[in-house]
Amino acid sequence: MPEPLALFGGRPVQPQPLRPYVSIGQEEKDAALRVMESGSLSGFVACGDDRFYGGPVVRGFESLFAGSLGMPCAVSFNSATSGLVAAVGALNLGLGDEVIVPAQTMSASAAAVLAYNAVPVFADVEERTYGLDPESVRSRISAKTKALMIVHLYGHPARMDELMAIARERRLRVIEDCAQSPFAMYRGSFTGSFGDIGVFSFNFHKHANCGEGGVAVTRDAELRERLALIRNHGEVKGTRGNLSNIVGWNFRLTELQAAIALEQTKKLPGLVEKRRRLANRLSHILEAFDWVRAPLVEEGCEHSYYDFPMQMDLGWIGITKGDMLRMTQAENLPITESYRPLYWQDIYRKKIVYGEQGFPFTQSLSNQNSENYRRGSCPQAEAFYESRCLTFEICSYELEEQHMDRIGVMFRKIEEYALRKKGVNA
Ligand SMILES: Cc1ncc(COP(=O)(O)O)c(C=O)c1O
């Protein structure tokens, strides 16, 4: 008699719940202590001298991060969300503009656009990479389209050749949301190095973290200046060349966070490499199952595996998405849903963000895209969420090879149960 599923009283494949991922070690503790002992927890002043760019540790983190990606400069933020908002502002996007955003991503990729009263127009995602589908992008371009928000979802690069060709052809600015893709590569270059601005996250569930934090990279000195102005109150624009129309906020990272982020940046290649090793093992294990497809790695690409998305034919084994979530939770190896299409959120569905008059959609959304937020608008993203794609949060737990092996054992248990049940019912 095979071991029953834990959901039905059997022993869980993973005896205890997985421990949360911890990448903070002695180096981070020592670095944080040095900042504490210095007494200077932030070095930013919104003034005309160099203190405008933050303290020494903030600047040290930025130059290490930029250098590790082969980029000339980086601007740190207190989150990737702040970095994305600043990127939208730095590129001068605003009222009357549309920005094409993938329908399936984390909410901040689109919300950042709304911060400047431009609107996101959602394009569908692509079946193999989970990134923007170039054909869908083309179909969304209107006279109001000004930029693409390219997200390298789960850590796999989007189709950059095609997307950058569209951007060049249609004169669109490009923001890369690399929150999930540190050190992911596309044809020999890191994600974040293709567009005008690339934004990375250092929040607590990313490969590397400082609690909350973000960092933007760019090759353009003026964009760097604009990002820095938006980060730090923008008061000194008069002293910084011909930079007008900038409203600045406080999106600054503290010295304490920067000290941790700096140490984490040193470890980042190793942290990503470990996820790759685990993911490769899991992908290999999944080859034994006809109803599960591991994430593909397209030719010329390197995945960073923030997440491990799996395409599943649950109908084939005769269980629902809900069954899968409950069964895997009980086995202590939880598989989770993929992202809900963003346009299902009320702010888009009802077209109400600020006030109750439909602003900024009334001014920024073109007639061509007025139905963009209707159900059915991005079928691939909807199918992924509803049933096709489930993920294992490979960056959220302390994992070793044995845990990957146990996922294989768990899927075998589920398959046997489901097929037995199907046979009985047939
Ligand atoms: C794709 C994507 N973009 C943006 C963000 C926002 O990052 P942060 O939490 O650093 O603001 C996240 C965070 O999970 C993300 O996954």
Side-chain angles (χ1 to χ4, degrees), residues 78-82 84 105-109 151-153 177-180 200-203 205-206 212-214 306 339:
N78 54 11
S79 69
T81 303
S82 302
L84 290 169
T105 173
M106 190 259 170
S107 61
S109 316
V151 184
H152 306 292
L153 200 70
D177 179 342
C178 309
Q180 303 187 359
F200 296 79
S201 173
F202 273 72
N203 80 16
H205 50 83
K206 294 300 190 294
E212 303 288 350
Y306 166 68
Y339 291 98

